[in-house]
Amino acid sequence: MTSTPQRILGVDPGLRFTGFGVVETAGAGRQARLIECGEIKTRAEQSLPERLQIIHDGIEAVVMRTHPDRMAFEQLVYCKNVQIALLLGQARAATILAGAKLALPMSEYTPAEIKQAVVGRGRASKDQVQKMVRVLLAMNQPPESEHAADALAAALTYIHAKPVHDLLRGALKR
């Protein structure tokens, strides 16, 4: 049984660096190939509205260029500094809005779920995530930044979790 390839846009939202990565499933199963990855950068001297507009427009441009079927991103679970949490939440909102305007279905995962799906350990290090993303996508070099690697890891998490979601959806319809 083969399925239609699907493109997933993973996003690692951040105010200074928003990582993105687009992967495509290779038919049935968990195989995936890299389409594109990188990061959208803003500068501290820019106003908050300018920075959010850059993030929004950058994600929208990636969507228009790569035509993903879904967006996946990491949930903001815990942050010691309330001000940083609020800023990260606004960066997330800019990315979510870009996907929502283009009617992209979305999935979000906790950091532990992403690490578990990609590395096999929910407490894996950033370095381990980068290395496994490289292996899983058969990349010659690691992603250009940890933000791009985290975005790719979110996309891979959706691919790895999709068979379980499909099974559950089928069981619930019975």
Side-chain angles (χ1 to χ4, degrees):
M1 177 172 134
T2 61
S3 61
T4 306
Q6 196 175 27
R7 283 195 176 182
I8 313 301
L9 166 60
V11 181
D12 177 34
L15 195 54
R16 186 158 178 225
F17 301 103
T18 291
F20 66 88
V22 180
V23 298
E24 185 173 81
T25 60
R30 299 194 211 189
Q31 298 274 319
R33 71 181 182 95
L34 174 66
I35 301 300
E36 178 181 338
C37 71
E39 58 187 14
I40 300 158
K41 299 172 187 170
T42 68
R43 296 184 321 273
E45 62 270 8
Q46 294 171 305
S47 70
L48 179 62
E50 285 177 301
R51 294 172 91 177
L52 296 175
Q53 184 73 52
I54 289 167
I55 293 165
H56 173 274
D57 292 350
I59 293 298
E60 198 170 66
V62 171
V63 170
M64 299 305 284
R65 190 170 58 247
T66 62
H67 308 286
D69 301 298
R70 172 171 292 277
M71 181 186 279
F73 48 93
E74 185 176 304
Q75 288 177 356
L76 180 58
V77 176
Y78 175 78
C79 194
K80 291 178 186 177
N81 184 316
V82 174
Q83 176 124 15
I84 291 172
L86 289 171
L87 292 171
L88 283 174
Q90 291 176 71
R92 278 185 84 229
T95 65
I96 290 168
L97 179 60
K101 280 176 52 181
L102 299 165
L104 272 181
M106 297 182 201
S107 299
E108 59 182 331
Y109 304 97
T110 66
E113 287 172 322
I114 292 172
K115 292 173 182 178
Q116 179 68 41
V118 174
V119 179
R121 288 186 42 237
R123 293 190 170 274
S125 69
K126 287 226 179 247
D127 186 52
Q128 289 172 314
V129 171
Q130 277 186 311
K131 286 178 182 173
M132 282 307 296
V133 163
R134 179 181 177 186
V135 168
L136 291 169
L137 293 173
M139 298 170 72
N140 293 328
Q141 299 176 16
E144 68 181 60
S145 75
E146 71 179 45
H147 307 288
D150 287 350
L152 289 167
L156 288 167
T157 299
Y158 173 78
I159 292 169
H160 291 190
K162 188 178 180 326
V164 173
H165 294 303
D166 291 348
L167 281 173
L168 289 173
R169 194 174 314 118
L172 292 174
K173 286 183 181 179
R174 294 182 196 159

